[in-house]
Amino acid sequence: MLPLAQMIQKRDWDAAQAYVDRQSIGIIPEIRVIVNDPKTDSTTRDIAYGYLRRVRTLDSALLLAQGLGEGGRSNSVLGLIENPRAEVYPILRAKLLPPREETNKNLLLVMAQMPVPEEQRIADIKPYLEASYIDTRYGAIFGLALLGDPNSNERFAYELGTKWPSAKETFLSIFYEYRAWRIPKFVPVLIPVLNDPTPLKDIGVRRRNEDGSESYMTPEELRYVRAWDYALNIIVKTLNLDVPFKIADNVTYSRAQRDLVKQKLRDLGYTVTDEPYPVTAAQ
């Protein structure tokens, strides 16, 4: 067994990180062997992909693209967003199944952020607005909104007003997975969500680990939040608002705290009302 795989299986994280740092770009061939070995278990494979995020070369990006949807999980997604390369786009595009079959929203979202001409990305993603799977459609909607395709923000807003909690959860979680809180153009779309009346327990909170992996909280820590809590977090992070209370992933904010954020938005020139998006049936 290769040294890095041994360290991962022994959970010797300090040694593994020091080893990767010493190897630098030399770690890429070793990770390639690990992830391509059919005997490698899925946990070891995913963690090995995570170490590629520290080596931002073309070779590491190509290997991460190979792993997207085939074992890299969130590490392939985040690694490609952190190290976008035009050369990986054909690999990602070749992975796309027809709209009736594609189930991987991550693939569309990563494609939207690769440095190839926007018109090409829009043309490749747009057919998936009619995908059979709702998550795939959401990936297409979000990807087109990232690219500024006409009417994409209106479709974005429509989906945020859905009456189905599971659909709303999927759509809002994309903000966290793809760091969309860094994009101010989405703030107007999110403002009405601050007034979303959906009951507590509509959005499940997951923990994002430092290596990019995701884990559910333990039963003792399991928490749910309202859509407005997700929206408030994203808005405050996007605009770097100065608020006198803690911003956290598992907090339910009071009416007074939401009103303070809404006033700060008005002070910045945003149009803010007390009305939520009209509730719609999920597409």
Side-chain angles (χ1 to χ4, degrees), residues 90-162:
I91 297 173
L92 302 176
R93 188 181 182 189
K95 288 177 177 286
L96 272 178
L97 298 174
R100 289 183 176 274
E101 301 172 32
E102 184 58 68
T103 62
N104 190 352
K105 71 178 187 297
N106 295 344
L107 182 53
L108 294 167
L109 286 161
V110 173
M111 286 174 62
Q113 297 179 73
M114 294 301 101
V116 299
E118 284 191 3
E119 57 271 22
Q120 179 179 347
R121 287 177 278 166
I122 290 171
D124 289 337
I125 294 169
K126 194 164 257 186
Y128 292 84
L129 289 173
E130 309 303 325
S132 298
Y133 292 89
I134 192 168
D135 281 9
T136 308
R137 294 201 300 272
Y138 281 177
I141 292 164
F142 202 110
L144 292 170
L146 284 167
L147 293 168
D149 189 51
N151 301 317
S152 57
N153 270 12
E154 288 79 1
R155 179 72 182 266
F156 202 157
Y158 178 90
E159 300 293 350
L160 285 172
T162 180

Side-chain angles (χ1 to χ4, degrees), residues 176 181 190 194 225 227-239 245-251 253 261:
Y176 273 30
W181 56 75
L190 287 166
L194 292 173
V225 296
W228 72 46
D229 299 314
Y230 258 69
L232 189 147
N233 280 352
I234 296 163
I235 289 169
V236 170
K237 290 176 180 179
T238 300
L239 301 177
F245 52 88
K246 182 181 179 182
I247 297 296
D249 288 349
N250 60 343
V251 169
Y253 297 106
V261 170

Side-chain angles (χ1 to χ4, degrees), residues 123-234:
D124 289 337
I125 294 169
K126 194 164 257 186
Y128 292 84
L129 289 173
E130 309 303 325
S132 298
Y133 292 89
I134 192 168
D135 281 9
T136 308
R137 294 201 300 272
Y138 281 177
I141 292 164
F142 202 110
L144 292 170
L146 284 167
L147 293 168
D149 189 51
N151 301 317
S152 57
N153 270 12
E154 288 79 1
R155 179 72 182 266
F156 202 157
Y158 178 90
E159 300 293 350
L160 285 172
T162 180
K163 67 182 180 182
W164 301 111
S166 59
K168 193 187 302 286
E169 176 182 355
T170 298
F171 207 77
L172 286 170
S173 70
I174 293 173
F175 277 104
Y176 273 30
E177 294 175 24
Y178 294 91
R179 304 178 183 186
W181 56 75
R182 298 179 182 176
I183 305 176
K185 74 176 181 178
F186 289 141
V187 168
V189 182
L190 287 166
I191 289 173
V193 185
L194 292 173
N195 306 309
D196 192 301
T198 311
L200 195 66
K201 292 195 173 184
D202 65 330
I203 305 292
V205 176
R206 297 174 179 85
R207 173 175 291 132
R208 175 67 66 187
N209 303 316
E210 286 188 8
D211 66 358
S213 62
E214 181 184 84
S215 59
Y216 288 94
M217 294 185 176
T218 64
E220 294 76 21
E221 296 173 313
L222 190 62
R223 287 291 305 274
Y224 291 84
V225 296
R226 299 177 191 266
W228 72 46
D229 299 314
Y230 258 69
L232 189 147
N233 280 352
I234 296 163

Side-chain angles (χ1 to χ4, degrees), residues 40-61:
T40 302
D41 64 274
S42 60
T43 299
T44 301
R45 182 177 290 110
D46 184 46
I47 293 171
Y49 275 116
Y51 287 117
L52 287 172
R53 292 173 60 194
R54 300 179 68 91
V55 188
R56 298 184 181 180
T57 68
L58 175 58
D59 282 346
S60 66

Side-chain angles (χ1 to χ4, degrees), residues 67-83:
L68 203 157
E70 300 177 18
R73 293 193 288 183
S74 58
N75 278 317
S76 278
V77 172
L78 294 172
L80 288 169
I81 292 172
E82 293 160 355
N83 181 25

